Amino acid sequence: MFKTGPTVALIVAAGRGSRASDAGSGPKQYAALGASCVLAEAMRPFLSSPLVHHVLVVIHRDDTTDYAAAVAGLDHAKLLDAATGGATRQHSVRAGLDAVSGMSPARVLIHDAARPFLTADTIERVVAALAANPAAIPAVPLADTLKRAGPNGTVAATVDRAGLWRAQTPQGFRYSVIVAAHAAAAAAGRFDFTDDAAIAVWCGLAVQIVPGTIS
């Protein structure tokens, strides 16, 4: 039987990606978004959700000042001390998972800091799916026509989009299974996965798709 316990939102904010519109101006998670910043807006839905008990942000070791400024105006009741990320996204996620191990979480919601427009409904659907599944991700069906380019840059083929979905975050997992999956990937020297759902599938876990946020 699936154990009860707290739900932790783990927000990955250790990346070095810069704003596309202003290369070199700093990591995009700290880019201004109205009177706030991208990271702060990515955090708000978790801080206000009654389904989330704790929020942990994984940051780069050089971003402590930017992080402090980003969270200054937020409700800190659920906010844990930030964890320090690693060389890759996988390393950073694992650092976050390790940081909350003492809380014995039942569920973890892993979210990208550069996704600020998350809805409460999406969080609810992911958490609800974890009652019957070890993992769940929000996604939207692919609507664009896909083309495969040939070596000379011309269209070589049209790709069938049937059954294709665009994955989003937060990706939700029962805590114990995603910890085991990350450990297995590290032991196998696999640090090339692009999201946590890919690690889960590689480990043989069933990942349920729920409707994501249409933006």
Side-chain angles (χ1 to χ4, degrees), residues 80-91:
L80 304 173
D81 290 341
T84 302
T88 68
R89 185 184 186 282
Q90 276 178 248
H91 285 102

Side-chain angles (χ1 to χ4, degrees), residues 65-86:
T65 300
D66 287 337
Y67 175 71
V71 303
L74 299 178
D75 182 353
H76 286 215
K78 298 180 184 179
L79 191 57
L80 304 173
D81 290 341
T84 302

